[in-house]
Amino acid sequence: MHIPVIVQTVGLLTLSNVFMTIAWYGHLKGLASKPWWIAALISWGIALFEYLLQVPANRIGYTQFSLAQLKIMQEAITLTVFVPFAIIFMDQPFKLDYVWAALCLVGAVYFIFRA
């Protein structure tokens, strides 16, 4: 069974972003009462899984996409992971600014991927 490069790349980058978002921001709520160095060590441990997914994602993606395309893809995925995380896990209110930021990223994706 052959999985297309775009599916592999987006799938791995999405999973890596879940780990990255938890590592970067999850400690603000989940470990708020712990000393910063404990939060940092736990975050580094979580970030290891992010790298174990992100590195192969970029290696696979680079066989078909340019470096700029990979970066813009990463940024678009980051926003799609971050917004639900902020709203659901961090109890942040939804902001219309998320929509405007998403539209800007749609534009970035368009310009970087157009022929």
Side-chain angles (χ1 to χ4, degrees), residues 32-77:
S33 64
K34 302 289 183 199
W36 74 266
W37 60 271
I38 291 175
L41 290 174
I42 291 170
S43 292
W44 283 349
I46 295 168
L48 171 64
F49 294 101
E50 185 259 335
Y51 276 95
L52 291 174
L53 296 165
Q54 177 265 357
V55 170
N58 283 326
R59 285 178 168 243
I60 292 166
Y62 196 61
T63 65
Q64 187 172 324
F65 303 108
S66 71
L67 187 62
Q69 288 172 326
L70 284 170
K71 181 57 181 170
I72 295 300
M73 190 183 310
Q74 169 73 25
E75 295 303 327
I77 291 168

Side-chain angles (χ1 to χ4, degrees), residues 6 65-66 68-70 72-73 107-115:
I6 185 71
F65 303 108
S66 71
Q69 288 172 326
L70 284 170
I72 295 300
M73 190 183 310
V109 169
Y110 167 77
F111 285 115
I112 209 70
F113 279 93
R114 70 184 172 152

Side-chain angles (χ1 to χ4, degrees), residues 87-104:
I87 294 168
I88 296 166
F89 183 76
M90 297 297 291
D91 301 317
Q92 298 293 304
F94 177 80
K95 293 181 168 186
L96 200 52
D97 290 342
Y98 294 149
V99 174
W100 307 135
L103 289 174
C104 289

